[in-house]
Amino acid sequence: LNERGAQRSLSKRKNAWRCAAATEGKQVGGKNQMLVYVPPHPLIKHWVSILRNEFSPPPMFRSAMAELGRLLIYEASRDWLLTVNGEVNTPCGVAEVEFIDPREPVKVVPILRAGLVLIEQAASVLPANQTFHLGFVRNEETLEASMYLNKLPEKFEEGARILVADPMLATGGTIVSALEEILKRGADISLIRVVAAVAAPPALKLLSEKFPGLRVYVGMIDEELNEKGYIVPGLGDAGDRSFGTA
Ligand code: URA
C-alpha cells in the first residue's frame, strides 16, 4: 500500500460499522437499534449519479432530487402506512380491497431549503399527507445548526407517521435538532422515517447513538467530510444547487 492507500484502509477499518450499513439492500439494526437502508435499485443509483455530477444544471439537479425522494419515500413507506379494508364492485364482480387510510395523513417534515425538493413528489406516493416546515441554517464556522422556522404542531397525536426529509446527513447536527423538536411533541421514534440523498459516517453514528429505533432511507453512504463539513465526494451544497444560488 502506498501512503494514501494505507490511510484509506485505516479509515475503512475505523468505519467498519458503516460498511455494514452501506451494504446495499441489507437493513442494518434491530428493534432497539437505528436501521439504515440503501435501496439496491438502478434508478436510485441513476438519480444519485445525476446529483453528483457537478455539470448538472439546477433544473436537472432539482428534478433528480425530486425523483430520488419519490423512490426513497416509496421504500420508506412500505411497511408503515395505515390502510383500511373494504369492498368494491369491479366490472366483473366484488373485490376485497385495501385503501390508504385518509384519516391518518402522513406528517411530512421537510428541512429547508433542500428538503423541500426531496419531498416535491411526495404527494404522488403518499395519497394523504400534511406538511410541516422546519428551517435550519448552519453556521459555516462552527458548523452548528440553528433553527429559524418551526411550523411543527404543538403535539403529534398518538400513532402519527412522520417523514423527515433532509438531503445531506453530514455532521448530523441539523437532523438531530430536527428529531429532538419532533420528539418533544410526543412523536414515537419507531414511527419516524428519515429520507436523505447522501449520508456520511459522523451523522449516522450520532443518529444511531441518540435515536435507537429510528429508520433512515438513503440513496448513498459516502466515506467522509471535508474541513467545511461537506460530504466527500457528496454532491456539493444541495440547497444552492437546487435553487441556482451556488
Ligand atoms: N449540506 C449540503 O448541502 N452538502 C453537504 O455536503 C453537507 C451539508
Side-chain angles (χ1 to χ4, degrees), residues 61 65 114 138 140 166-171 174 198 224-226 228-241:
F61 185 91
M65 186 66 88
R138 190 163 72 147
E140 294 302 331
D166 185 7
M168 306 302 283
L169 305 180
T171 60
T174 301
V198 187
E224 58 197 355
L225 302 183
N226 66 17
K228 290 188 176 156
Y230 280 83
I231 300 177
V232 179
L235 47 81
D237 189 304
D240 281 342
R241 293 197 63 198

Side-chain angles (χ1 to χ4, degrees), residues 42-77:
L43 286 170
I44 291 193
K45 291 191 175 111
H46 172 79
W47 296 120
V48 170
S49 304
I50 302 279
L51 291 171
R52 284 198 191 281
N53 183 358
E54 64 174 323
F55 297 114
S56 299
M60 190 188 279
F61 185 91
R62 225 172 22 239
S63 63
M65 186 66 88
E67 281 302 324
L68 178 65
R70 199 161 73 90
L71 298 173
L72 291 172
I73 294 168
Y74 172 81
E75 284 294 341
S77 54

Side-chain angles (χ1 to χ4, degrees), residues 106-137:
V106 169
K107 320 294 183 212
V108 181
V109 181
I111 298 182
L112 307 188
R113 287 180 293 166
L116 281 178
V117 188
L118 200 58
I119 60 141
E120 209 169 87
Q121 294 291 330
S124 75
V125 191
L126 303 171
N129 70 79
Q130 290 175 301
T131 305
F132 303 96
H133 298 86
L134 272 184
F136 282 89
V137 64

Side-chain angles (χ1 to χ4, degrees), residues 104 155-161 186 188 191:
E104 304 284 353
K155 191 131 187 69
F156 285 109
E157 64 270 23
E158 205 183 325
R161 266 83 178 144
D188 173 351
L191 296 179

Side-chain angles (χ1 to χ4, degrees), residues 16 22 58-59 93 120-121 137 145-146 179 186 200 211 219 243:
E120 209 169 87
Q121 294 291 330
V137 64
S146 57
L179 289 171
F211 307 112
F243 296 103

